[in-house]
Amino acid sequence: MPSRVYESSDDWDPLSNAISPPPDESVQEKEIRIKQELEAKQKSDAIDEDLNRQRAAEKKGPKPVRVLLLASGEGKSTFLKFFKLMHDPKAFSTERASWRAVIQLNVVRSIHIILDAMTHPAQPRHDTRAMSKDISSTSSSPFSGEIPLPEDTSDIEPGLFQIRSRLSSLLQVEDLLTRQLTPKDYSEVGTTQLAPIHPTKHVPTELAINSSVPWKQKFDRLVGKGDTERIIIDWDDPNDPGKIIHACGEDMIRLWKHPLVQQMLEKQNLRLEEMAGFFLDSLPEITAERYLPTDEHILRARLKTLGVSEHCVKVSAGSDIGSDWRIFDVGGHRSLVTAWAPFFENNLNAIIFLAPISAFDQVLAEAPKVNRLEDSVSLWTSIVANKILQHTDLILFLNKCDLMAAKLVSGIKLKDYVVSYGNRPNDFESTTNYLRKKFAGILKENSPLPRTFYCHYTSVTDTLSTQKVIASLKDMLMRDSLKHSTLLL
């Protein structure tokens, strides 16, 4: 087939044609367009200048400490918030208004899980392992549309029906909070499908925000420009979700503490306390009329992010040397986690790997047949065996030790999910030592080069011990950074 010969009339640029103004543009429309283009160019130039300044500063000063956070589930954002709280408390404080919305959304979704469970109150208990795997990742899961009527009302007393009816207004709160957290100009915001619990139930979804979305800026208007410790929120805003949450506060507390509700959750094996973003035990504080989240509440808040995000933190070390930290958080589907490795070749001080060991009896949301602990082991194996990362230090955090201890005390046995554990004692010390040796053995067997095994135990609620671990980690990495910069012998 002969090639087409373009005449001069065919010589056109499709991009220029796409961005060219419409032929029927009015004078007023032209002025608006030119003004918008000028503003966009000014923003672009400001970003370029800022990047150039950063590059020049990095060339003159010491190299920043670069750390990559990895985990097969939640935990990375909690570590990052811990780090910011310790080393940049002023910036951490300015984010309270934005995390207030996230916490409120976490609470509403937990209530929705209970209301949905009431739709199937007579559902019999399944095998503990199977049921745990099916529902383990439904934390903070919203339900779209109306809450369906229960299939069988024989096990539900009339008082609970009245509470259920009054709490239906929380659907509006969920929609409002979701819209507040998802700026309309960004199309990369969506939800991730979670595993269905029961064929006849609604399939829950979890809000997932792309890391490029500046969702916190949405709440800048709520924060005062003065002292960052005195955050000013427009409490008279008629669209503030806190008003409805406050009005529903007593009903939510009664619902959560009701003995029949607790029996129903136990029957359906719904362990809300173990789910990320659990705040139902803090309802009196969160439903207060003028609620502002505490540091502890912010650390426990759950918001799933997608993509790679970079966080810059100034770390005080007695001097300016090594004070810049760049922490990278890789989020998204587990199959894409290792795709970033080539972008960090010879450009990382350490990888911090968080393994939630309390999830030994749970499964992944996106793969209901895959055990979460098994997935952590699999991801750890692929990371330590990666030749691109063979010169990078690996630091393992065996995370959520407090939840792990609580499960073991309640009678859940590790050997029922980790066959190789055998008949060893089912106490915290024995199980954690076994898992620690398991991860250490994988590093020794699969690492292309010999590497030191760094391992720490961390908990969700023990903030003091976690701060000590992070402080120790900071000192180690800064000394390592100085050695590589030939500033410390």
Side-chain angles (χ1 to χ4, degrees), residues 159-233:
L160 283 177
F161 271 118
Q162 296 174 4
I163 293 176
R164 183 179 182 275
S165 177
R166 291 194 294 267
L167 291 180
S168 62
S169 59
L170 292 178
L171 290 173
Q172 304 172 22
V173 174
E174 176 192 357
D175 180 64
L176 178 59
L177 288 169
T178 300
R179 283 189 281 110
Q180 285 185 345
L181 292 168
T182 53
K184 63 179 181 180
D185 295 333
Y186 290 83
S187 59
E188 296 183 4
V189 180
T191 56
T192 54
Q193 190 95 343
L194 300 184
I197 303 174
H198 189 274
T200 60
K201 283 192 176 185
H202 289 273
V203 178
T205 57
E206 181 179 17
L207 179 68
I209 297 182
N210 193 286
S211 57
S212 63
V213 175
W215 63 273
K216 293 179 183 177
Q217 295 180 8
K218 177 76 173 179
F219 301 88
D220 285 349
R221 61 183 178 84
L222 302 178
V223 182
K225 299 298 183 181
D227 187 353
T228 55
E229 294 300 321
R230 293 185 290 117
I231 299 177
I232 303 172
I233 292 181

Side-chain angles (χ1 to χ4, degrees), residues 63-67 328 343-350 388 392:
K63 291 184 177 180
V65 178
R66 298 167 65 89
V67 178
F328 300 90
F343 298 97
F344 295 101
E345 184 176 7
N346 300 322
N347 201 23
L348 283 176
N349 293 87
I388 295 177
T392 304

Side-chain angles (χ1 to χ4, degrees), residues 240-476:
D240 180 15
K243 294 184 179 299
I244 298 180
I245 291 177
H246 173 65
C248 295
E250 293 185 4
D251 281 334
M252 286 193 285
I253 294 173
R254 280 196 290 265
L255 179 72
W256 171 239
K257 293 184 176 295
H258 201 289
L260 291 181
V261 171
Q262 293 298 322
Q263 293 174 14
M264 177 188 62
L265 295 176
E266 172 66 20
K267 183 177 181 180
Q268 299 189 31
N269 204 29
L270 277 166
R271 301 194 294 264
L272 299 183
E273 298 90 338
E274 298 175 8
M275 297 178 179
F278 172 76
F279 288 99
L280 296 186
D281 284 341
S282 304
L283 283 175
E285 300 98 305
I286 295 174
T287 60
E289 189 171 7
R290 295 198 171 192
Y291 165 70
L292 269 179
T294 62
D295 292 345
E296 180 187 354
H297 286 180
I298 295 176
L299 292 172
R300 288 162 48 197
R302 163 71 172 172
L303 181 65
K304 184 174 183 178
T305 56
L306 305 174
V308 180
S309 57
E310 179 181 356
H311 303 268
C312 301
V313 182
K314 286 281 187 179
V315 177
S316 175
S319 67
D320 292 333
I321 298 177
S323 61
D324 281 338
W325 281 56
R326 305 290 172 82
I327 304 178
F328 300 90
D329 179 6
V330 178
H333 195 279
R334 65 193 181 102
S335 63
L336 302 177
V337 170
T338 56
W340 43 261
F343 298 97
F344 295 101
E345 184 176 7
N346 300 322
N347 201 23
L348 283 176
N349 293 87
I351 293 176
I352 296 178
F353 188 95
L354 295 103
I357 57 175
S358 66
F360 67 86
D361 62 338
Q362 301 172 344
V363 296
L364 297 174
E366 63 268 34
K369 294 184 179 180
V370 179
N371 180 277
R372 287 186 61 189
L373 179 58
E374 179 185 351
D375 184 67
S376 292
V377 171
S378 176
L379 181 58
W380 170 258
T381 303
S382 66
I383 297 302
V384 302
N386 195 312
K387 293 184 178 180
I388 295 177
L389 305 172
Q390 60 183 339
H391 297 291
T392 304
D393 285 334
L394 300 174
I395 303 167
L396 175 66
F397 277 24
L398 296 181
N399 198 25
K400 300 192 176 182
C401 290
D402 50 345
L403 298 181
M404 174 77 166
K407 282 189 176 182
L408 298 175
V409 170
S410 69
I412 301 177
K413 298 184 181 300
L414 180 65
K415 70 175 184 180
D416 291 339
Y417 304 91
V418 182
V419 179
S420 59
Y421 188 69
N423 292 320
R424 296 177 177 86
N426 198 55
D427 58 79
F428 178 78
E429 183 177 359
S430 301
T431 54
T432 52
N433 282 340
Y434 172 82
L435 293 176
R436 184 181 185 278
K437 292 178 181 178
K438 182 76 172 179
F439 280 95
I442 293 174
L443 176 65
K444 184 177 180 180
E445 294 175 8
N446 295 276
S447 179
L449 296 175
R451 279 186 276 191
T452 303
F453 178 65
Y454 301 102
C455 181
H456 299 278
Y457 297 105
T458 55
S459 299
V460 176
T461 57
D462 192 350
T463 57
L464 182 60
S465 65
T466 302
Q467 287 177 349
K468 290 181 179 178
V469 168
I470 293 177
S472 174
L473 173 67
K474 179 204 72 173
D475 293 339
M476 184 195 76

